[in-house]
Amino acid sequence: MDIFLILYLIPLLSLFLLICKIIERKRNQSCYILDYQCYKPTDDRKLSTDLSGKIIMRNKNLGLNEYKFLLKVIVGSGIGEETYGPKMVFHGREDNPTYEDGTDEMDEFFDDCIGKLLARTGVSPQDIDVLVVNVACLTTSPSLASRIIKRYKMREDVKTYNLTGMGCSASLISVNIVESVFKCQKNVNALVVASESLSPNWYTGNDKSMILTNCLFRAGGVAILLTNKASLRDRAMFKLKCLVRTHHGARDEAYSSCIQMEDEHGRVGVNLSKNLPKAATRAFIDNLKVISPKILPMREIGRYAFLSFLRKMRTKSQKGPRPMIDFKTGVDHFCLHTGGKAVIDSIGKSLGLSEYDVEPARMTLHRFGNTSASSIWYVLGYMEAKKRFKKGDKVFMISLGAGFKCNSCLWEVVGDLDDGKGNCWNECDIDKYPPTSLANPFMDKYGWMNDKDESTFVLPEE
């Protein structure tokens, strides 16, 4: 009898141990954000209306038509007067930036942002096991990752990933790399650093598809500390639930819709083609098709499928508007890519969002501009500073970038975020946001250009 009992218990015990092993493995594979720090340059780096006008008029390659075009773009961009530019434009050297301009811009960001993050969390540089650095348009030797390791004296066995050319959606690619490492190794701390170097990429030609970037992109960056250590779960802010990446680089029009190139005079810039909205829309839709079943309740997926089926069955004359998925059934907050006012409007409309939902993205664009891959983290910071989060809330991030790529993910709030910690928005007097008007003074100051004729136009004396 005892032998039969033992033979019966052995497989049950084995099954129990296997289940425990799977649960333990899952626990150690979780990806948590311990803290993050968005970069806020000093006030002397703000691009006011007056200074922006002077920078534009310093470009001798521009004529009245280009001035009118820039005026229209800037007025409708959603960008305010408190965004930040690289030092070299304040020194009037945008036409001939040096290599050091690019590296100094990054060093300034590294020293401020990473230093504050590590000091606030109490994590030593020696405790960093994985370092992922993403800066799209600057390549150095040694790499930017090596500059950080040297600056903070990190361990000799730290694993590094140095990403370039990945565009505005790259911070989620960096998170995905960390997530993959966490699935293979236990008790790991990872530092993700995302920014953009504007100094060597300020376009000084007159190609309208390339001068657009000067109107939208601004200085900024983010440092994010992630971990899969079970012992640090109680200190975490967010837990990653899922992440989806979509890449349409195999399509010619998508690949060339946002591309760094030289104009006909050899001036380097980023060309934003007319195909960009179409490429962005396709990538966005394909990404949503994959992530929606992962983040929405089955009742919403079923409702949408049923309504779509009914519409398909109706005759052409009876078909009404296409049914929409209600993303608010599975998402509480939305971190939208701040690619521009039109991008925010388009994504907000596609997801059926209210003005309250898109407010964080609008305010980020207004206050900080498009800071490339770090933009969505400023949006997250705005919501944190406004005390919108409560434990258990789901936060949906979606970003678009050159390639053409669309990357998205869902975070769960797992910690108490009431104090705001070192959020850069708390240094911006968060209570004054949103302002009553987002209008900038460019039209008031330079609207007279619209009444001028190209054949007789002369820039006024300062």
Side-chain angles (χ1 to χ4, degrees), residues 392-403:
D393 281 358
K394 303 297 192 302
V395 185
F396 184 43
M397 279 185 171
I398 189 158
S399 59
L400 303 164

Side-chain angles (χ1 to χ4, degrees), residues 382-398:
Y382 180 88
M383 289 188 281
E384 183 191 354
K386 282 290 188 178
K387 303 186 186 306
R388 291 191 177 191
F389 296 135
K390 63 180 184 295
K391 193 171 182 179
D393 281 358
K394 303 297 192 302
V395 185
F396 184 43
M397 279 185 171
I398 189 158

Side-chain angles (χ1 to χ4, degrees), residues 185-205:
Q185 300 179 39
K186 295 196 300 184
N187 297 320
V188 177
N189 288 328
L191 177 64
V192 167
V193 180
S195 184
E196 189 53 87
S197 180
L198 301 183
S199 297
N201 297 289
W202 195 276
Y203 180 64
T204 56

Side-chain angles (χ1 to χ4, degrees), residues 327-348:
F327 279 86
K328 293 184 182 180
T329 58
V331 177
D332 301 294
H333 310 281
F334 298 83
C335 284
L336 308 182
H337 175 60
T338 59
K341 183 177 181 297
V343 173
I344 296 171
D345 289 344
S346 178
I347 296 177

Side-chain angles (χ1 to χ4, degrees), residues 16 42 66 77 81-82 87 101 117 130 147 159 170 191 226 230 240 256 264 269-270 293 297 316 346 352 376 423 434:
F16 175 75
T42 52
E66 287 79 23
S77 67
E81 285 200 286
E82 295 188 291
K87 281 185 177 179
D101 285 327
L117 178 65
V130 177
R147 295 178 78 90
K159 302 298 184 292
L191 177 64
L226 303 107
L240 183 64
S256 59
E264 59 182 3
V270 177
K316 189 173 183 180
S346 178
I376 50 177
N423 194 327

Side-chain angles (χ1 to χ4, degrees), residues 197-248:
S197 180
L198 301 183
S199 297
N201 297 289
W202 195 276
Y203 180 64
T204 56
N206 60 3
D207 188 315
K208 290 182 180 179
S209 62
M210 297 173 77
I211 55 179
L212 273 172
T213 55
N214 293 354
C215 302
L216 294 173
F217 286 92
R218 294 293 183 263
V222 67
I224 313 159
L225 189 59
L226 303 107
T227 189
N228 66 349
K229 291 186 177 182
S231 61
L232 296 178
R233 282 184 303 171
D234 293 340
R235 293 175 50 189
M237 302 172 71
F238 304 94
K239 179 182 179 180
L240 183 64
K241 304 298 289 183
C242 66
L243 189 151
V244 172
R245 292 166 54 179
T246 302
H247 201 309
H248 283 181

Side-chain angles (χ1 to χ4, degrees), residues 201-371:
N201 297 289
W202 195 276
Y203 180 64
T204 56
N206 60 3
D207 188 315
K208 290 182 180 179
S209 62
M210 297 173 77
I211 55 179
L212 273 172
T213 55
N214 293 354
C215 302
L216 294 173
F217 286 92
R218 294 293 183 263
V222 67
I224 313 159
L225 189 59
L226 303 107
T227 189
N228 66 349
K229 291 186 177 182
S231 61
L232 296 178
R233 282 184 303 171
D234 293 340
R235 293 175 50 189
M237 302 172 71
F238 304 94
K239 179 182 179 180
L240 183 64
K241 304 298 289 183
C242 66
L243 189 151
V244 172
R245 292 166 54 179
T246 302
H247 201 309
H248 283 181
R251 300 177 179 177
D252 289 344
E253 66 174 19
Y255 177 83
S256 59
S257 63
C258 178
I259 188 169
Q260 187 180 35
M261 58 182 289
E262 291 182 348
D263 66 11
E264 59 182 3
H265 300 291
R267 300 184 183 93
V268 176
V270 177
N271 183 292
L272 304 179
S273 78
K274 293 180 181 179
N275 291 327
L276 181 58
K278 184 188 293 185
T281 300
R282 284 180 174 175
F284 175 64
I285 291 173
D286 284 355
N287 187 275
L288 287 184
K289 287 179 180 177
V290 178
I291 200 168
S292 294
K294 298 176 183 290
I295 66 176
L296 298 178
M298 286 305 299
R299 68 178 184 277
E300 178 59 23
I301 301 297
R303 182 194 69 84
Y304 175 77
F306 178 70
L307 292 177
S308 297
F309 175 77
L310 286 182
R311 186 178 185 275
K312 188 176 181 180
M313 291 297 101
R314 290 172 182 164
T315 63
K316 189 173 183 180
S317 60
Q318 293 178 323
K319 286 185 178 179
R322 291 180 179 275
M324 288 188 63
I325 291 180
D326 184 3
F327 279 86
K328 293 184 182 180
T329 58
V331 177
D332 301 294
H333 310 281
F334 298 83
C335 284
L336 308 182
H337 175 60
T338 59
K341 183 177 181 297
V343 173
I344 296 171
D345 289 344
S346 178
I347 296 177
K349 183 179 179 180
S350 299
L351 297 178
L353 305 184
S354 67
E355 191 57 37
Y356 176 84
D357 296 319
V358 300
E359 176 190 308
R362 290 200 197 284
M363 294 305 104
T364 297
L365 181 65
H366 178 74
R367 177 62 181 83
F368 291 97
N370 182 348
T371 59

